[in-house]
Amino acid sequence: VGLLTDLSGPSAENGIQCVAGVEIAERTHPSEDGAQPIRFIRGDHRGEAKSGLLEFKKLVDADQVVSVIANRS
């Protein structure tokens, strides 16, 4: 799962809180019955639309995530 948030820039605190939330999810929801665990791959949109589009394309094309969770500043 891709996590697209602002990890740098003026609203980075929001992104840091999002990352903390997914880290809790990764720890508290282990895989069951041999299924692969949920893994979050982070992308930084820096609060900028252009950066967000580039990071989204990277998550989908290079990292091959099956879904993307995003927030906006």
Side-chain angles (χ1 to χ4, degrees):
V1 176
L3 174 64
L4 185 57
T5 188
D6 38 355
L7 299 172
S8 61
S11 299
E13 185 60 36
N14 293 331
I16 291 167
Q17 291 176 9
C18 288
V19 169
V22 298
E23 287 174 347
I24 291 170
E26 288 173 325
R27 285 193 311 269
T28 59
H29 296 288
S31 64
E32 296 179 7
D33 300 326
Q36 288 187 323
I38 295 175
R39 191 175 117 224
F40 291 92
I41 300 174
R42 295 146 182 82
D44 181 10
H45 63 57
R46 296 181 277 184
E48 302 169 354
K50 192 172 188 176
S51 295
L53 181 58
L54 292 172
E55 284 294 317
F56 178 84
K57 288 181 177 182
K58 178 192 166 293
L59 287 168
V60 172
D61 296 336
D63 298 319
Q64 298 184 332
V65 298
V66 296
S67 65
V68 176
I69 299 169
N71 78 332
R72 63 185 185 119
S73 313

